mmCIF file with all atom_site columns, all heavy atoms in Angstrom:
data_model
loop_
_atom_site.group_PDB
_atom_site.id
_atom_site.type_symbol
_atom_site.label_atom_id
_atom_site.label_alt_id
_atom_site.label_comp_id
_atom_site.label_asym_id
_atom_site.label_entity_id
_atom_site.label_seq_id
_atom_site.pdbx_PDB_ins_code
_atom_site.Cartn_x
_atom_site.Cartn_y
_atom_site.Cartn_z
_atom_site.occupancy
_atom_site.B_iso_or_equiv
_atom_site.pdbx_formal_charge
_atom_site.auth_seq_id
_atom_site.auth_comp_id
_atom_site.auth_asym_id
_atom_site.auth_atom_id
_atom_site.pdbx_PDB_model_num
ATOM 1  N N   . GLN Y 1 186 ? -5.341 23.136 26.342 1.00 98.00 ? 186 GLN Y N   1
ATOM 2  C CA  . GLN Y 1 186 ? -4.417 22.829 27.433 1.00 98.00 ? 186 GLN Y CA  1
ATOM 3  C C   . GLN Y 1 186 ? -4.244 21.331 27.661 1.00 98.00 ? 186 GLN Y C   1
ATOM 4  O O   . GLN Y 1 186 ? -4.386 20.825 28.786 1.00 98.00 ? 186 GLN Y O   1
ATOM 5  C CB  . GLN Y 1 186 ? -4.847 23.539 28.714 1.00 98.00 ? 186 GLN Y CB  1
ATOM 6  C CG  . GLN Y 1 186 ? -4.830 25.046 28.544 1.00 98.00 ? 186 GLN Y CG  1
ATOM 7  C CD  . GLN Y 1 186 ? -5.039 25.779 29.850 1.00 98.00 ? 186 GLN Y CD  1
ATOM 8  O OE1 . GLN Y 1 186 ? -6.011 25.513 30.567 1.00 98.00 ? 186 GLN Y OE1 1
ATOM 9  N NE2 . GLN Y 1 186 ? -4.152 26.677 30.153 1.00 98.00 ? 186 GLN Y NE2 1
ATOM 10 N N   . ILE Y 1 187 ? -3.945 20.644 26.583 1.00 98.00 ? 187 ILE Y N   1
ATOM 11 C CA  . ILE Y 1 187 ? -3.687 19.197 26.704 1.00 98.00 ? 187 ILE Y CA  1
ATOM 12 C C   . ILE Y 1 187 ? -2.440 18.964 27.564 1.00 98.00 ? 187 ILE Y C   1
ATOM 13 O O   . ILE Y 1 187 ? -1.545 19.811 27.617 1.00 98.00 ? 187 ILE Y O   1
ATOM 14 C CB  . ILE Y 1 187 ? -3.483 18.549 25.314 1.00 98.00 ? 187 ILE Y CB  1
ATOM 15 C CG1 . ILE Y 1 187 ? -2.340 19.223 24.526 1.00 98.00 ? 187 ILE Y CG1 1
ATOM 16 C CG2 . ILE Y 1 187 ? -4.778 18.559 24.517 1.00 98.00 ? 187 ILE Y CG2 1
ATOM 17 C CD1 . ILE Y 1 187 ? -1.819 18.395 23.372 1.00 98.00 ? 187 ILE Y CD1 1
ATOM 18 N N   . ASP Y 1 188 ? -2.429 17.798 28.233 1.00 98.00 ? 188 ASP Y N   1
ATOM 19 C CA  . ASP Y 1 188 ? -1.205 17.422 28.960 1.00 98.00 ? 188 ASP Y CA  1
ATOM 20 C C   . ASP Y 1 188 ? -0.461 16.289 28.264 1.00 98.00 ? 188 ASP Y C   1
ATOM 21 O O   . ASP Y 1 188 ? 0.653  15.931 28.640 1.00 98.00 ? 188 ASP Y O   1
ATOM 22 C CB  . ASP Y 1 188 ? -1.508 17.055 30.433 1.00 98.00 ? 188 ASP Y CB  1
ATOM 23 C CG  . ASP Y 1 188 ? -2.559 15.979 30.579 1.00 98.00 ? 188 ASP Y CG  1
ATOM 24 O OD1 . ASP Y 1 188 ? -2.703 15.146 29.656 1.00 98.00 ? 188 ASP Y OD1 1
ATOM 25 O OD2 . ASP Y 1 188 ? -3.255 15.956 31.626 1.00 98.00 ? 188 ASP Y OD2 1
ATOM 26 N N   . THR Y 1 189 ? -1.129 15.702 27.246 1.00 98.00 ? 189 THR Y N   1
ATOM 27 C CA  . THR Y 1 189 ? -0.564 14.524 26.550 1.00 98.00 ? 189 THR Y CA  1
ATOM 28 C C   . THR Y 1 189 ? -0.910 14.643 25.065 1.00 98.00 ? 189 THR Y C   1
ATOM 29 O O   . THR Y 1 189 ? -2.026 15.018 24.720 1.00 98.00 ? 189 THR Y O   1
ATOM 30 C CB  . THR Y 1 189 ? -1.228 13.235 27.114 1.00 98.00 ? 189 THR Y CB  1
ATOM 31 O OG1 . THR Y 1 189 ? -1.054 13.234 28.535 1.00 98.00 ? 189 THR Y OG1 1
ATOM 32 C CG2 . THR Y 1 189 ? -0.634 11.985 26.524 1.00 98.00 ? 189 THR Y CG2 1
ATOM 33 N N   . LEU Y 1 190 ? 0.060  14.311 24.200 1.00 98.00 ? 190 LEU Y N   1
ATOM 34 C CA  . LEU Y 1 190 ? -0.213 14.320 22.765 1.00 98.00 ? 190 LEU Y CA  1
ATOM 35 C C   . LEU Y 1 190 ? 0.144  12.953 22.185 1.00 98.00 ? 190 LEU Y C   1
ATOM 36 O O   . LEU Y 1 190 ? 1.271  12.485 22.338 1.00 98.00 ? 190 LEU Y O   1
ATOM 37 C CB  . LEU Y 1 190 ? 0.602  15.416 22.063 1.00 98.00 ? 190 LEU Y CB  1
ATOM 38 C CG  . LEU Y 1 190 ? 0.379  15.512 20.548 1.00 98.00 ? 190 LEU Y CG  1
ATOM 39 C CD1 . LEU Y 1 190 ? -1.034 16.008 20.229 1.00 98.00 ? 190 LEU Y CD1 1
ATOM 40 C CD2 . LEU Y 1 190 ? 1.397  16.415 19.886 1.00 98.00 ? 190 LEU Y CD2 1
ATOM 41 N N   . VAL Y 1 191 ? -0.829 12.349 21.506 1.00 98.00 ? 191 VAL Y N   1
ATOM 42 C CA  . VAL Y 1 191 ? -0.614 11.041 20.891 1.00 98.00 ? 191 VAL Y CA  1
ATOM 43 C C   . VAL Y 1 191 ? -0.286 11.218 19.406 1.00 98.00 ? 191 VAL Y C   1
ATOM 44 O O   . VAL Y 1 191 ? -0.986 11.945 18.701 1.00 98.00 ? 191 VAL Y O   1
ATOM 45 C CB  . VAL Y 1 191 ? -1.877 10.156 21.005 1.00 98.00 ? 191 VAL Y CB  1
ATOM 46 C CG1 . VAL Y 1 191 ? -1.636 8.788  20.341 1.00 98.00 ? 191 VAL Y CG1 1
ATOM 47 C CG2 . VAL Y 1 191 ? -2.296 9.990  22.447 1.00 98.00 ? 191 VAL Y CG2 1
ATOM 48 N N   . TYR Y 1 192 ? 0.768  10.544 18.956 1.00 98.00 ? 192 TYR Y N   1
ATOM 49 C CA  . TYR Y 1 192 ? 1.025  10.472 17.524 1.00 98.00 ? 192 TYR Y CA  1
ATOM 50 C C   . TYR Y 1 192 ? 0.015  9.480  16.950 1.00 98.00 ? 192 TYR Y C   1
ATOM 51 O O   . TYR Y 1 192 ? 0.231  8.261  17.018 1.00 98.00 ? 192 TYR Y O   1
ATOM 52 C CB  . TYR Y 1 192 ? 2.417  9.907  17.250 1.00 98.00 ? 192 TYR Y CB  1
ATOM 53 C CG  . TYR Y 1 192 ? 3.590  10.731 17.693 1.00 98.00 ? 192 TYR Y CG  1
ATOM 54 C CD1 . TYR Y 1 192 ? 4.516  10.219 18.608 1.00 98.00 ? 192 TYR Y CD1 1
ATOM 55 C CD2 . TYR Y 1 192 ? 3.817  11.999 17.167 1.00 98.00 ? 192 TYR Y CD2 1
ATOM 56 C CE1 . TYR Y 1 192 ? 5.634  10.945 18.989 1.00 98.00 ? 192 TYR Y CE1 1
ATOM 57 C CE2 . TYR Y 1 192 ? 4.942  12.741 17.556 1.00 98.00 ? 192 TYR Y CE2 1
ATOM 58 C CZ  . TYR Y 1 192 ? 5.827  12.196 18.467 1.00 98.00 ? 192 TYR Y CZ  1
ATOM 59 O OH  . TYR Y 1 192 ? 6.935  12.904 18.833 1.00 98.00 ? 192 TYR Y OH  1
ATOM 60 N N   . GLY Y 1 193 ? -1.058 9.989  16.387 1.00 98.00 ? 193 GLY Y N   1
ATOM 61 C CA  . GLY Y 1 193 ? -2.083 9.089  15.855 1.00 98.00 ? 193 GLY Y CA  1
ATOM 62 C C   . GLY Y 1 193 ? -1.817 8.665  14.427 1.00 98.00 ? 193 GLY Y C   1
ATOM 63 O O   . GLY Y 1 193 ? -2.713 8.188  13.733 1.00 98.00 ? 193 GLY Y O   1
ATOM 64 N N   . CYS Y 1 194 ? -0.578 8.850  13.996 1.00 98.00 ? 194 CYS Y N   1
ATOM 65 C CA  . CYS Y 1 194 ? -0.139 8.403  12.670 1.00 98.00 ? 194 CYS Y CA  1
ATOM 66 C C   . CYS Y 1 194 ? 1.336  8.058  12.793 1.00 98.00 ? 194 CYS Y C   1
ATOM 67 O O   . CYS Y 1 194 ? 2.095  8.818  13.410 1.00 98.00 ? 194 CYS Y O   1
ATOM 68 C CB  . CYS Y 1 194 ? -0.337 9.516  11.643 1.00 98.00 ? 194 CYS Y CB  1
ATOM 69 S SG  . CYS Y 1 194 ? 0.452  9.187  10.045 1.00 98.00 ? 194 CYS Y SG  1
ATOM 70 N N   . THR Y 1 195 ? 1.724  6.935  12.224 1.00 97.00 ? 195 THR Y N   1
ATOM 71 C CA  . THR Y 1 195 ? 3.099  6.468  12.426 1.00 97.00 ? 195 THR Y CA  1
ATOM 72 C C   . THR Y 1 195 ? 4.125  7.324  11.702 1.00 97.00 ? 195 THR Y C   1
ATOM 73 O O   . THR Y 1 195 ? 5.325  7.197  11.962 1.00 97.00 ? 195 THR Y O   1
ATOM 74 C CB  . THR Y 1 195 ? 3.238  5.000  11.976 1.00 97.00 ? 195 THR Y CB  1
ATOM 75 O OG1 . THR Y 1 195 ? 2.738  4.861  10.636 1.00 97.00 ? 195 THR Y OG1 1
ATOM 76 C CG2 . THR Y 1 195 ? 2.471  4.071  12.884 1.00 97.00 ? 195 THR Y CG2 1
ATOM 77 N N   . HIS Y 1 196 ? 3.679  8.187  10.803 1.00 97.00 ? 196 HIS Y N   1
ATOM 78 C CA  . HIS Y 1 196 ? 4.640  9.115  10.162 1.00 97.00 ? 196 HIS Y CA  1
ATOM 79 C C   . HIS Y 1 196 ? 5.078  10.235 11.131 1.00 97.00 ? 196 HIS Y C   1
ATOM 80 O O   . HIS Y 1 196 ? 6.141  10.817 10.954 1.00 97.00 ? 196 HIS Y O   1
ATOM 81 C CB  . HIS Y 1 196 ? 3.996  9.789  8.948  1.00 97.00 ? 196 HIS Y CB  1
ATOM 82 C CG  . HIS Y 1 196 ? 3.992  8.953  7.698  1.00 97.00 ? 196 HIS Y CG  1
ATOM 83 N ND1 . HIS Y 1 196 ? 3.149  7.880  7.519  1.00 97.00 ? 196 HIS Y ND1 1
ATOM 84 C CD2 . HIS Y 1 196 ? 4.748  9.047  6.567  1.00 97.00 ? 196 HIS Y CD2 1
ATOM 85 C CE1 . HIS Y 1 196 ? 3.378  7.357  6.317  1.00 97.00 ? 196 HIS Y CE1 1
ATOM 86 N NE2 . HIS Y 1 196 ? 4.322  8.055  5.721  1.00 97.00 ? 196 HIS Y NE2 1
ATOM 87 N N   . TYR Y 1 197 ? 4.260  10.542 12.104 1.00 98.00 ? 197 TYR Y N   1
ATOM 88 C CA  . TYR Y 1 197 ? 4.470  11.780 12.866 1.00 98.00 ? 197 TYR Y CA  1
ATOM 89 C C   . TYR Y 1 197 ? 5.656  11.778 13.831 1.00 98.00 ? 197 TYR Y C   1
ATOM 90 O O   . TYR Y 1 197 ? 6.191  12.851 14.117 1.00 98.00 ? 197 TYR Y O   1
ATOM 91 C CB  . TYR Y 1 197 ? 3.197  12.198 13.609 1.00 98.00 ? 197 TYR Y CB  1
ATOM 92 C CG  . TYR Y 1 197 ? 1.997  12.454 12.726 1.00 98.00 ? 197 TYR Y CG  1
ATOM 93 C CD1 . TYR Y 1 197 ? 0.739  12.715 13.284 1.00 98.00 ? 197 TYR Y CD1 1
ATOM 94 C CD2 . TYR Y 1 197 ? 2.090  12.459 11.323 1.00 98.00 ? 197 TYR Y CD2 1
ATOM 95 C CE1 . TYR Y 1 197 ? -0.368 12.957 12.489 1.00 98.00 ? 197 TYR Y CE1 1
ATOM 96 C CE2 . TYR Y 1 197 ? 0.973  12.693 10.528 1.00 98.00 ? 197 TYR Y CE2 1
ATOM 97 C CZ  . TYR Y 1 197 ? -0.258 12.935 11.120 1.00 98.00 ? 197 TYR Y CZ  1
ATOM 98 O OH  . TYR Y 1 197 ? -1.357 13.171 10.343 1.00 98.00 ? 197 TYR Y OH  1
#
Side-chain angles (χ1 to χ4, degrees):
Q186 298 189 307
I187 57 162
D188 54 27
T189 306
L190 180 69
V191 180
Y192 295 120
C194 169
T195 52
H196 279 74
Y197 300 174

